[in-house]
Amino acid sequence: MITAREASRRNREICALAPIIPVIVVDELDHAVPLAKALVAGGLPVLEVTLRTPVALDAIRAMSEVDGGVVGAGTLVTPDDVRAAKEAGAKFGVSPGATDALLDACEADDLPLLPGAATASEAMRLLARGYDMLKFFPAEASGGAPALKSIGAPLPQISFCPTGGVSPENAHSYLSLPNVVCAGGSWVVPKAAMQAGDWGEIERLAKDASRLK
Ligand code: 3PG
């Protein structure tokens, strides 16, 4: 069991570990460990593995053994996703949105959730339940940094991890906002580099991302 407030407190700490959380899609289980090692070596310890491929849960299990990493599960949609993620060893969960069933499951299964919100009303509903560390999704399509800045004016007590369309070019527009702790993005784990096993390239991208402000 974890309360909403404690979940947000823990996720704030996790989000503060690095400016960028890589949003990862693992197609081949063999990639999981070298990928996690490259990202951690590059200075990105917080890893979000999306539950979008058949090997995702095994990837979370394998990556959780990598020293220095904090591995979470992304794309949590149902209570079954929550149970599976927790059992695989996920330290936190991420969802594009939030439902009562999902929030109930995360709280019952002691999985700190970073729930998604794209509007003031969605953010306020989560805040009323005790969540004040949220994912802003889909960030660019929802108005980008100007929208998040506007939401922050009346709701400064809520912090965000914007994700969706974040890039090295626009990351600063988000990271410089007072209501942003970190941002999520998939550019640090390009499919081509993964398939080529080019872990050096991924470490280099991680290093650059770890210096973003
Ligand atoms: C996702 O869920 O795929 C994330 O929003 C990643 O978005 P990005 O590919 O635009 O970084």
Side-chain angles (χ1 to χ4, degrees):
M1 178 74 199
I2 185 170
T3 63
R5 226 165 277 284
E6 175 61 13
S8 279
R9 195 195 61 75
R10 269 203 243 165
N11 276 332
R12 237 176 232 274
E13 278 178 8
I14 290 172
C15 286
L17 293 175
I20 301 296
I21 298 180
V23 177
I24 301 168
V25 178
V26 183
D27 289 308
E28 290 180 44
L29 188 54
D30 286 353
H31 293 165
V33 168
L35 173 65
K37 284 184 176 166
L39 291 167
V40 172
L44 299 182
V46 185
L47 312 177
E48 176 191 338
V49 179
T50 58
L51 299 192
R52 296 184 203 166
T53 62
V55 301
L57 290 166
D58 285 333
I60 289 172
R61 217 166 266 127
M63 290 162 93
S64 296
E65 301 295 319
V66 172
D67 276 349
V70 180
V71 182
T75 327
L76 297 182
V77 178
T78 68
D80 283 346
D81 293 339
V82 174
R83 272 186 286 277
K86 178 74 186 181
E87 202 196 85
K91 296 285 185 301
F92 64 96
V94 184
S95 176
T99 65
D100 285 334
L102 187 71
L103 297 169
D104 288 346
C106 285
E107 289 164 20
D109 286 352
D110 190 24
L111 187 69
L113 181 70
L114 190 65
T119 66
S121 288
E122 290 166 5
M124 285 167 65
R125 210 164 285 136
L126 286 161
L127 181 66
R129 188 165 166 147
Y131 290 90
D132 62 9
M133 178 70 227
L134 311 179
K135 167 174 169 165
F136 179 54
F137 178 83
E140 279 293 288
S142 302
L148 195 49
K149 185 177 179 191
S150 299
I151 289 173
L155 300 169
Q157 66 273 53
I158 306 178
S159 298
F160 293 89
C161 168
T163 305
V166 179
S167 67
E169 290 70 37
N170 65 21
H172 176 73
S173 67
Y174 292 101
L175 295 172
S176 56
L177 297 177
N179 60 341
V180 168
V181 184
C182 68
S186 63
W187 82 87
V188 282
V189 280
K191 223 179 176 65
M194 292 254 276
Q195 275 161 359
D198 191 350
W199 313 118
E201 165 71 357
I202 289 177
E203 184 175 333
R204 192 187 61 72
L205 288 166
K207 213 162 256 164
D208 288 347
S210 76
R211 296 194 186 110
L212 289 169
K213 304 183 172 119

